[in-house]
Amino acid sequence: MSMSKILPVKGARDFYPEEMAMRGWLYRNIRVVSESFGYQEFEGPFLERLELYAAKSGDELVKQQSFVFEDRGGEMIALRPELTPSLARMVATRSQALPRPIRWWSFGPFWRYERPQKGRSREFFQWNIDILGVDTPQADAELAAVAAVFFRNLGLPSSAVRILVNSRTLAEIQLETIGIPSDLRQQTFRAIDRLDKMDQRKWEAYASEVGLSDDQILALQDVLTDTEAWKQSKQLVSFFEAVEKLGVSDYIEYDPSIIRGLDYYTGIVFEARDADRRHRAILGGGRYDDLVSIVGGDPVPGVGFAMGDVVIGLVLEDAGVSPELRPNPAQILLVAFDEASLLQTLSISSELRASGLRAEWYPQADRIKTQLKYADRQGIPIVLILGPDELANGQVTIKDMRSGDQISLDRSDMIEHIGEIL
RNA sequence: GUGGCCGUAGCUCAACGGCAGAGCGCCUGACUGUGGAUCAGGAGGUUGCGGGUUCGAAACCCGUCGGCCACCCCA
């Protein structure tokens, strides 16, 4: 424990090969689903001027929850806490040149200066995927479908995760109908956001503290339990129709209490939760039609979501579908018997690599037993043994660790044989 | 940023004022050309760190760092 006195910084994680294998697996799955819908990978800078975020997210968020420092030129720099503003800038910069629709995705590190807890660290990896230049509900539906297909690919059934959808446009109309004045809208949204965190009495007290009348609170509760209200929204009707055609209806449902915290959302908003609500939101997103113009470009509508690596990992674990990954990539271990055969394994290993195989050689002539044990522990499926007998006959012995079968054959036949059993 | 719970071997934990331990994992041997199973042995600790109380502290007190929980917020 006190092996090293210098610990990782609070909320940062070491990625040993095992964890790195998991991250790589996530990244690969993200790539597969993103690309299957035609999205292109991009990346923004990890460092941004602080002002970029001030533009859109409240100053509280920026000042208290970002890693910020002053560079040597006196510039205030932030470690990026999110990608969407960078994306908006990149799109704004080439707004004229980029063919629409713009379908982009990204996976990279982000930082938030928050108190770490389960499912929340200060340094984390996030998948971002966005479609810009279209404002149709079908585009929103595609993003929800991307998320649903991703879950399905990972082995998370719709009984385990749900994508909950609402429309801010609809929510605003609902508040207006109830007679909640627009200056109470923000706070009312916040109260809605907290609905599932408080019991009813507490929530009512909170709502009344915010300035809502008893009648308004009652009416609001009606609205928030009306699971049919989406039918009043043309937007949502089209959205669910598209979701149906995309074949992911089972994952996606209307939830009038979904609001999302961010100020820049303008239309449909959604988040994914595990069915038992044991964890924070797995991903969250929505439509942001004004953001590109806020960062100084011609208006470009957009919709997208972001998913952190931490919560999805916990959810996969809970569902029992976390993959068993082998950090060691080698397909073949070359086992030597003595100094002479060890040298021979070097040239054989090169030969194997030249034919596209991943081969690792054991770097000292330990007992065969020890070397096989290493292969076993590392999960290397094939061992190539080279001892005096093999050397004398120009042969190699190839052992399949999974079946235990082994065969000695001429060196010229080894690659073909390996190809057969691999 | 506020309040609370917790830090003992790589991991999960025991000892709770009086010799720092177990299981798992790791290494070695039984088995000098063959992994997994079994058995035997071994390595690995300034009890997160710093101070205080005490004859004596892993334990009690204070501080600090880290983890977790609630708040806050969730980009």
Side-chain angles (χ1 to χ4, degrees):
Chain A
M1 196 64 97
S2 53
M3 201 76 90
S4 167
K5 289 211 161 181
I6 302 170
L7 301 164
V9 311
K10 187 191 189 95
R13 293 164 291 165
D14 289 329
F15 284 84
Y16 288 83
E18 222 167 69
E19 287 97 35
M20 202 58 207
M22 176 64 187
R23 200 170 99 196
W25 177 84
L26 252 191
Y27 196 172
R28 284 193 298 279
N29 278 281
I30 284 167
R31 175 184 302 281
V32 164
V33 72
S34 302
E35 292 182 346
S36 77
F37 282 80
Y39 286 72
Q40 303 173 32
E41 188 175 17
F42 80 105
E43 181 62 289
F46 297 177
L47 300 177
E48 288 279 15
R49 286 175 213 283
L50 189 56
E51 309 120 60
L52 179 66
Y53 306 104
K56 61 97 223 156
S57 4
D59 354 298
E60 290 250 330
L61 295 180
V62 175
K63 284 185 183 143
Q64 295 184 8
Q65 303 199 291
S66 296
F67 277 89
V68 176
F69 64 93
E70 190 181 328
D71 73 11
R72 296 186 187 196
E75 204 80 61
M76 291 309 290
I77 306 294
L79 268 62
R80 64 178 187 183
E82 63 163 325
L83 187 63
T84 309
S86 303
L87 166 65
R89 186 201 50 229
M90 288 168 70
V91 167
T93 303
R94 300 210 181 159
S95 183
Q96 308 283 330
L98 291 169
R100 314 297 158 87
I102 299 159
R103 283 190 172 96
W104 287 2
W105 71 280
S106 178
F107 180 79
F110 295 85
W111 296 265
R112 279 182 220 170
Y113 198 82
E114 291 185 302
R115 190 93 134 204
Q117 284 178 39
K118 201 183 196 72
R120 176 198 272 180
S121 57
R122 284 184 169 184
E123 180 180 68
F124 56 95
F125 286 76
Q126 201 174 64
W127 173 29
N128 281 264
I129 181 162
D130 296 85
I131 178 166
L132 296 100
V134 272
D135 62 359
T136 61
Q138 290 79 15
D140 305 63
E142 167 164 297
L143 265 302
V146 167
V149 172
F150 175 72
F151 292 143
R152 189 187 283 156
N153 289 355
L154 259 45
L156 289 167
S158 56
S159 56
V161 287
R162 276 303 153 79
I163 299 162
L164 309 169
V165 183
N166 192 12
S167 159
R168 284 206 170 182
T169 325
L170 173 63
E172 282 169 20
I173 290 168
Q174 287 171 328
L175 295 198
E176 220 174 291
T177 308
I178 295 170
I180 294 172
S182 57
D183 59 309
L184 280 183
R185 188 183 294 157
Q186 276 311 332
Q187 290 199 272
T188 307
F189 276 169
R190 180 157 295 178
I192 293 171
D193 207 31
R194 277 181 214 181
L195 189 60
D196 68 337
K197 285 186 182 172
M198 302 179 170
D199 62 47
Q200 188 170 325
R201 191 173 308 161
K202 248 186 162 173
W203 185 79
E204 284 167 7
Y206 177 76
S208 122
E209 209 174 298
V210 161
L212 302 181
S213 72
D214 290 356
D215 286 350
Q216 287 171 336
I217 292 172
L218 277 175
L220 191 52
Q221 283 170 331
D222 280 348
V223 162
L224 293 175
T225 50
D226 181 3
T227 54
E228 303 294 310
W230 61 274
K231 292 176 179 166
Q232 304 158 21
S233 159
K234 227 198 254 180
Q235 220 176 25
L236 284 170
V237 169
S238 304
F239 173 89
F240 281 111
E241 190 182 36
V243 158
E244 166 88 50
K245 298 295 184 202
L246 287 160
V248 291
S249 294
D250 52 328
Y251 279 93
I252 299 170
E253 65 188 54
Y254 170 65
D255 184 332
S257 69
I258 298 299
I259 287 298
R260 302 299 302 165
L262 273 182
D263 294 347
Y264 58 63
Y265 290 130
T266 53
I268 281 177
V269 288
F270 56 94
E271 66 184 43
R273 303 291 302 256
D274 63 299
D276 309 335
R277 300 237 164 189
R278 296 185 54 197
H279 302 287
R280 301 162 196 287
I282 301 165
L283 59 85
R287 176 159 286 284
Y288 49 90
D289 285 346
D290 304 329
L291 190 56
V292 175
S293 58
I294 290 174
V295 301
D298 299 332
V300 181
V303 56
F305 69 80
M307 182 195 78
D309 66 318
V310 183
V311 175
I312 187 69
L314 296 170
V315 171
L316 288 165
E317 198 70 41
D318 277 3
V321 295
S322 223
E324 292 210 5
L325 300 168
R326 189 168 74 86
N328 187 313
Q331 299 165 298
I332 302 156
L333 176 73
L334 292 102
V335 166
F337 190 82
D338 53 26
E339 190 80 13
S341 55
L342 192 150
L343 279 171
Q344 276 305 305
T345 64
L346 298 187
S347 53
I348 295 176
S349 75
S350 288
E351 204 178 319
L352 294 173
R353 284 183 211 108
S355 65
L357 295 162
R358 299 188 298 272
E360 174 182 8
W361 52 281
Y362 199 90
Q364 56 191 23
D366 281 348
R367 293 166 37 176
I368 301 294
K369 183 185 182 62
T370 305
Q371 301 186 49
L372 285 178
K373 187 176 275 192
Y374 172 79
D376 185 50
R377 296 280 153 89
Q378 295 286 308
I380 300 169
I382 292 175
V383 164
L384 190 153
I385 301 167
L386 198 64
D389 299 346
E390 287 84 355
L391 276 186
N393 305 325
Q395 290 193 317
V396 294
T397 296
I398 290 167
K399 173 164 183 155
D400 185 330
M401 294 293 282
R402 298 157 299 189
S403 62
D405 298 342
Q406 72 178 51
I407 184 174
S408 294
L409 38 69
D410 288 345
R411 202 165 142 174
S412 55
D413 297 334
M414 75 182 173
I415 286 173
E416 194 190 338
H417 181 69
I418 289 170
E420 280 166 15
I421 64 172
L422 203 58

